[in-house]
Amino acid sequence: MKNHSQDPYVGFLNKFSFDIITQIFSYLNQRDCLNCMKVCRTWYNDIPQYTAENWRTLRISSQEVIHGLINQRLLRCLGNHVKNVILITMNQDKVYTILQILKKSGCHGIESLEFFSCSVKPTRKDQIKFSYLLGKVASFQLTHLKMIRMNWSFVLLSILVACPHLTHFTFRPNYRCGDAEDIELAEATQFDLREKVLERLVYLNIEAKIPSLDYQVQDIIKKCPNLRYYIGTAAGQPGALESLRRKAISLGYLMKWCPKLVYYVGDCTYYYNYHPQKNEFLLPSSSTTTNDNSDDIYLQQYPFYHLALCDHDNYDENIDYLNKYQDTLTHIKLVGYPNHDEDSPSSYSYISVLNRIQTPHLRILHIEHVDFDLNSSISLLNTCHATIQEIYLGAITKITGNTIQYLDKSMIQRLKILPRLCTLTLNHIQLTEPDETTSMMLLERLPSLVNLNIQEKSSFILSVQAVSLIKDHIKELKLKDPHYPANQIIPPETIDTLVSSGSVLETLEFRLNNVTYQLLFSAAHLPALKSLSVSWIKSSVFWNRSKNHKEEERENEKNLLHFIYLLLRRSPPNQDCSTTSSSSLTAVYNKHSNIITSAIQPPPSNIERLNLHCVPSLSFDMLDALGDLPCLNQLILAISKCGCLPTISTTRDPDTTGTDAMFDNAVSPKEYQNEMMNIDLQGLMSLLRKSRRLKLITFFGVHSSGARRPSEIIKTCYYKQEWTHDPLRQYKTTIIAVNKKGLLFVEDVVIEKC
């Protein structure tokens, strides 16, 4: 018999070619690669060469640096192949440690470096050391540097000078009360760098809300002759006192020192409700010094195209630049501060300039909280009707009351057809005749509309007749008008017609008054639905106080359970519609049951994001059924304040089904006999075990009565089970809000996949 002990060992890494092994490891994440290195010495030595592509982006958090040391297996995976590095929540010593490790590990190919919520002391010694270590890492290929939520006491020019190849710089700090010596230090150090020129810098994004940063930004701008993109902000958020606001750096000042500027953002809302599209930065990222002739050619090839202004900052200058660049602008954003008093002098009129300018290349128009009228807006849109792709119109909001712009049929008739418009948002734009014909007139002029967002006091009605105008192209529908009942804005019959016509609708959001279960049942059958958000589900508990509270809560649970099973395209177990007090809902049950009881059962819904507010207590059946949705990756549930508190269940009778089991067959843990909670823990564990794509769960308004808070109860439950159920090891629980009402603990709990 052959002695196998004398045969040479042929391992997995020796059986296949380098390309095949690299392809196999490309399906693993970074944590899996590090775990594979634990197998044996051979894998420890060889795996880093096969996983170089897995480490192009490196994320290091504070927990991975212990006593100045980092995982040795991770160190072996570093090298010149690392291109992007993100440091998260680190103190000064850990930041220094990582920068030194990156230098010693030969990470000379780093192109992007981001510091998120890290800290460096503002003393001269620490500033010099940070700039020195940063320069060691950035001296080779670093072109993009981001400093997010860091302390503001930095000498920005010294950081930029330490990165000779830098083209993109973003600085959005956490503001705190700084000392006078910090500002003096910044100004003194700035003086030594005044002769430096930043020829390569083309993108500058700085949130400057204090004078010391304002001065630094102005000095930096003077040294950036090739700057193309500038993103700043006016000091103070909307709604703040006028004395706390300051003007953003003017466009005229920028154009004087940066003649190649093509992209300017100086409005106050950029950071909290606006994100630039991926294709907005169209120019090449590199830049070199050019002569006067090539500058003229450059300005002709890449004209000024993006202008975002705050209405009270340099008003006269803004008007001049709107007139000057009207032929080349593709993006106009005019934003003012909301909540101004009627007599506030900070709001200036843009009516005349909107009537006068012509913008043949305009693609995006955003007007919010400034003085304009719809006639002037329509005049502007008619000049760019062939190119406009996105429109946002929002009226001025005042402390004394909301100002509403009225859109009548004569204005709509003046509007030309907009063949390329994809996104329309109306906020406080009310139809003078809130009927289906006016809404249809507007939709007829938008043949390519994909995203429709109707916000407050707009009285936009989608009737059954409008389905033919939206079924083939609208993929996102957001109705956010709590002043009108849901059935008036979009009747259930409209949703039913969308279902029967094969609508392509993927995102549906209701922020309306009294969204009925009948409307939810209809929405569950939309064939392409991927995201559903409902802010206020009409609950009979709120409207019929004469009935038994517990009975009404059970009825709402059955309605919600029926909705979940409609998403699954199957009938709920032991469903008894006779117990439902509403005869109309009984008819709806029977109507939709015909679909899911047919001979050929349709596949479950492909919904990926589900957001429901004002839901009742979450039973085992609800959470267990949610786990069967195959594509669900984000779940947000806000539990009703009047939801019942059943006893925490740790075991479940397999013969018991239906939502009544939550109340009648719950068993308390022996050590906590008096604890009650409005989430069934076994149902939650079943949801986590069954879901394959679920990444985030958020529960708002989780109640518990007893000695422990809801988050502690949840952690205890699945920590006890995680050793026997591998899927549970991937999740962690965090708290975003805590409150106590009498004997109840109330928390907002987030469960996310690590």
Side-chain angles (χ1 to χ4, degrees):
M1 186 174 64
K2 186 177 181 179
N3 186 3
H4 293 282
S5 62
Q6 298 178 357
D7 291 343
Y9 173 72
V10 180
F12 160 74
L13 299 182
N14 297 324
K15 290 183 179 180
F16 302 103
S17 65
F18 179 87
D19 293 338
I20 293 177
I21 298 175
T22 301
Q23 182 67 24
I24 293 173
F25 279 106
S26 67
Y27 293 101
L28 302 182
N29 56 35
Q30 295 179 355
R31 180 179 295 182
D32 293 335
C33 294
L34 295 178
N35 290 334
C36 290
M37 294 176 66
K38 297 180 182 179
V39 173
C40 62
R41 177 61 63 179
T42 302
W43 283 36
Y44 177 83
N45 293 328
D46 294 347
I47 281 182
Q49 64 178 320
Y50 299 115
T51 59
E53 288 297 318
N54 300 45
W55 297 97
R56 287 181 62 88
T57 299
L58 177 64
R59 292 180 175 84
I60 305 178
S61 61
S62 178
Q63 292 80 4
E64 299 179 41
V65 183
I66 303 176
H67 303 298
L69 301 176
I70 197 171
N71 192 318
Q72 291 297 316
R73 286 174 283 121
L74 176 59
L75 287 177
R76 288 192 55 81
C77 297
L78 302 182
N80 199 45
H81 53 272
V82 178
K83 301 299 180 182
N84 309 301
V85 178
I86 303 174
L87 308 184
I88 305 172
T89 318
M90 292 188 179
N91 58 26
Q92 176 177 278
D93 294 335
K94 293 182 178 180
V95 169
Y96 292 165
T97 299
I98 296 299
L99 292 178
Q100 291 172 348
I101 288 175
L102 293 175
K103 176 64 172 63
K104 293 179 181 179
S105 301
C107 299
H108 304 317
I110 297 177
E111 299 174 354
S112 174
L113 179 60
E114 178 177 345
F115 298 92
F116 181 82
S117 191
C118 300
S119 62
V120 176
K121 296 179 181 179
T123 62
R124 176 185 290 271
K125 178 181 178 181
D126 292 308
Q127 292 276 318
I128 293 175
K129 185 175 182 180
F130 176 76
S131 299
Y132 171 78
L133 294 175
L134 179 62
K136 291 295 182 181
V137 176
S139 59
F140 298 95
Q141 300 182 23
L142 186 69
T143 58
H144 291 66
L145 176 62
K146 292 184 179 181
M147 302 173 67
I148 311 296
R149 295 181 61 183
M150 297 186 68
N151 52 299
W152 60 267
S153 302
F154 277 97
V155 182
L156 298 182
L157 191 56
S158 65
I159 293 175
L160 295 175
V161 171
C163 307
H165 305 284
L166 199 65
T167 60
H168 293 67
F169 178 61
T170 300
F171 183 67
R172 294 172 57 185
N174 257 345
Y175 290 96
R176 59 175 178 83
C177 295
D179 298 329
E181 60 182 7
D182 296 342
I183 299 176
E184 292 175 0
L185 168 64
E187 295 177 352
T189 313
Q190 196 93 340
F191 180 80
D192 301 332
L193 304 171
R194 287 181 180 175
E195 302 302 324
K196 301 292 182 179
V197 178
L198 306 172
E199 295 182 351
R200 293 179 177 269
L201 196 66
V202 298
Y203 175 92
L204 187 62
N205 183 343
I206 298 182
E207 182 182 11
K209 293 184 179 180
I210 56 177
S212 64
L213 280 182
D214 268 344
Y215 301 144
Q216 293 194 59
V217 172
Q218 293 176 19
D219 285 343
I220 292 173
I221 289 173
K222 293 178 181 180
K223 304 177 186 302
C224 303
N226 297 313
L227 189 69
R228 302 171 187 173
Y229 309 98
Y230 174 77
I231 300 175
T233 181
Q237 296 295 336
L241 296 177
E242 196 72 31
S243 59
L244 299 179
R245 300 188 183 125
R246 299 188 330 278
K247 293 184 178 181
I249 294 178
S250 69
L251 182 57
Y253 183 88
L254 277 164
M255 297 300 289
K256 176 182 177 181
W257 298 101
C258 310
K260 295 184 179 182
L261 194 72
V262 298
Y263 190 103
Y264 173 79
V265 173
D267 69 284
C268 60
T269 63
Y270 187 87
Y271 293 112
Y272 75 94
N273 71 352
Y274 175 74
H275 303 280
Q277 297 179 352
K278 293 182 180 179
N279 60 352
E280 282 194 272
F281 303 117
L282 303 176
L283 306 184
S285 59
S286 61
S287 176
T288 56
T289 305
T290 56
N291 54 37
D292 294 339
N293 295 330
S294 61
D295 282 349
D296 295 337
I297 297 175
Y298 173 87
L299 293 176
Q300 294 176 3
Q301 185 177 2
Y302 301 112
F304 191 88
Y305 72 93
H306 185 112
L307 183 61
L309 302 170
C310 192
D311 77 316
H312 75 290
D313 288 345
N314 310 298
Y315 171 78
D316 295 332
E317 185 180 83
N318 295 344
I319 297 297
D320 293 339
Y321 279 101
L322 280 172
N323 289 318
K324 181 178 180 180
Y325 295 109
Q326 58 180 301
D327 294 330
T328 62
L329 284 173
T330 64
H331 186 128
I332 294 178
K333 186 178 181 184
L334 305 175
V335 178
Y337 289 126
N339 296 330
H340 278 315
D341 188 75
E342 292 181 351
D343 299 329
S344 175
S346 62
S347 182
Y348 300 90
S349 176
Y350 282 88
I351 296 176
S352 60
V353 67
L354 293 179
N355 277 316
R356 185 172 61 252
I357 63 174
Q358 296 187 4
T359 54
H361 302 291
L362 190 66
R363 293 185 300 175
I364 299 177
L365 176 64
H366 187 125
I367 304 177
E368 182 180 8
H369 302 305
V370 300
D371 187 10
F372 77 104
D373 64 4
L374 292 177
N375 279 313
S376 61
S377 301
I378 291 175
S379 299
L380 176 63
L381 291 174
N382 285 337
T383 66
C384 58
H385 66 95
T387 60
I388 191 70
Q389 298 177 14
E390 180 178 338
I391 299 174
Y392 183 106
L393 297 177
I396 299 177
T397 304
K398 299 180 181 295
I399 296 176
T400 56
N402 296 324
T403 301
I404 300 175
Q405 296 274 5
Y406 292 96
L407 180 64
D408 57 29
K409 291 183 179 180
S410 62
M411 295 180 184
I412 298 177
Q413 290 174 352
R414 285 185 52 235
L415 179 65
K416 295 182 180 180
I417 294 178
L418 309 179
R420 300 184 62 185
L421 186 70
C422 297
T423 302
L424 174 64
T425 302
L426 300 178
N427 186 9
H428 288 82
I429 307 296
Q430 185 170 341
L431 303 179
T432 54
E433 300 178 14
D435 54 17
E436 58 188 40
T437 58
T438 308
S439 302
M440 290 182 63
M441 284 182 59
L442 182 59
L443 291 174
E444 288 172 352
R445 283 158 172 75
L446 314 175
S448 302
L449 190 64
V450 177
N451 307 313
L452 179 59
N453 188 348
I454 305 299
Q455 299 188 7
E456 293 190 15
K457 297 185 178 180
S458 296
S459 63
F460 195 92
I461 298 176
L462 288 173
S463 62
V464 175
Q465 289 74 18
V467 171
S468 60
L469 301 174
I470 65 175
K471 64 183 180 66
D472 295 328
H473 50 83
I474 286 191
K475 295 185 178 180
E476 180 178 285
L477 179 60
K478 296 183 179 181
L479 304 175
K480 307 176 183 179
D481 196 346
H483 298 87
Y484 296 91
N487 286 347
Q488 179 180 340
I489 300 297
I490 179 167
E493 293 77 15
T494 301
I495 301 294
D496 291 337
T497 308
L498 286 171
V499 173
S500 60
S501 61
S503 170
V504 296
L505 189 63
E506 296 179 356
T507 300
L508 184 60
E509 181 175 347
F510 294 136
R511 195 178 297 175
L512 303 171
N513 189 2
N514 300 340
V515 177
T516 62
Y517 280 105
Q518 184 178 0
L519 194 60
L520 285 182
F521 295 161
S522 299
H525 291 291
L526 288 168
L529 188 64
K530 294 183 179 180
S531 176
L532 177 63
S533 178
V534 182
S535 62
W536 189 2
I537 302 175
K538 183 177 180 180
S539 173
S540 57
V541 175
F542 291 100
W543 311 110
N544 198 343
R545 296 294 184 181
S546 61
K547 292 193 174 183
N548 182 272
H549 180 84
K550 188 174 180 180
E551 178 183 349
E552 294 292 343
E553 187 73 10
R554 288 179 176 177
E555 180 181 334
N556 292 324
E557 289 177 8
K558 290 179 180 179
N559 292 335
L560 182 59
L561 181 62
H562 186 87
F563 164 72
I564 297 172
Y565 273 85
L566 287 177
L567 289 175
L568 294 170
R569 309 293 192 259
R570 64 174 186 251
S571 300
N574 295 347
Q575 178 183 299
D576 184 10
C577 298
S578 61
T579 59
T580 305
S581 60
S582 174
S583 59
S584 60
L585 272 181
T586 303
V588 173
Y589 282 150
N590 298 330
K591 172 183 175 182
H592 291 285
S593 296
N594 294 331
I595 301 176
I596 58 181
T597 57
S598 58
I600 301 177
Q601 185 173 347
S605 170
N606 292 325
I607 192 165
E608 300 175 358
R609 184 179 185 273
L610 186 60
N611 183 352
L612 301 177
H613 286 233
C614 291
V615 301
S617 300
L618 300 176
S619 66
F620 177 90
D621 290 332
M622 295 180 197
L623 296 170
D624 181 68
L626 286 170
D628 292 329
L629 291 171
C631 300
L632 188 66
N633 59 49
Q634 185 175 356
L635 178 63
I636 302 174
L637 298 174
I639 306 174
S640 171
K641 295 181 180 180
C642 60
C644 298
L645 289 176
T647 307
I648 298 172
S649 62
T650 56
T651 61
R652 182 171 175 79
D653 186 354
D655 297 330
T656 306
T657 56
T659 57
D660 294 342
M662 184 177 179
F663 299 97
D664 302 331
N665 294 281
V667 181
S668 299
K670 293 182 179 179
E671 62 270 27
Y672 298 105
Q673 289 289 345
N674 296 323
E675 282 189 335
M676 304 178 74
M677 197 169 158
N678 55 359
I679 295 180
D680 187 278
L681 291 180
Q682 292 304 311
L684 177 59
M685 298 304 108
S686 177
L687 169 63
L688 296 177
R689 285 193 296 265
K690 294 168 67 175
S691 298
R692 299 305 179 195
R693 300 187 181 183
L694 193 60
K695 297 180 179 179
L696 179 67
I697 307 176
T698 304
F699 293 120
F700 292 99
V702 183
H703 291 57
S704 69
S705 64
R708 297 184 298 172
R709 299 186 303 183
S711 57
E712 296 174 353
I713 299 173
I714 294 174
K715 289 179 182 179
T716 302
C717 183
Y718 74 73
Y719 284 166
K720 289 181 179 179
Q721 301 185 41
E722 67 175 357
W723 300 109
T724 56
H725 300 282
D726 288 339
L728 295 182
R729 301 184 185 182
Q730 307 176 57
Y731 293 95
K732 66 177 182 179
T733 301
T734 56
I735 308 169
I736 57 178
V738 183
N739 194 8
K740 188 171 183 180
K741 297 181 179 180
L743 299 177
L744 296 179
F745 286 102
V746 183
E747 288 185 340
D748 297 338
V749 180
V750 175
I751 301 175
E752 58 183 337
K753 183 174 288 188
C754 301

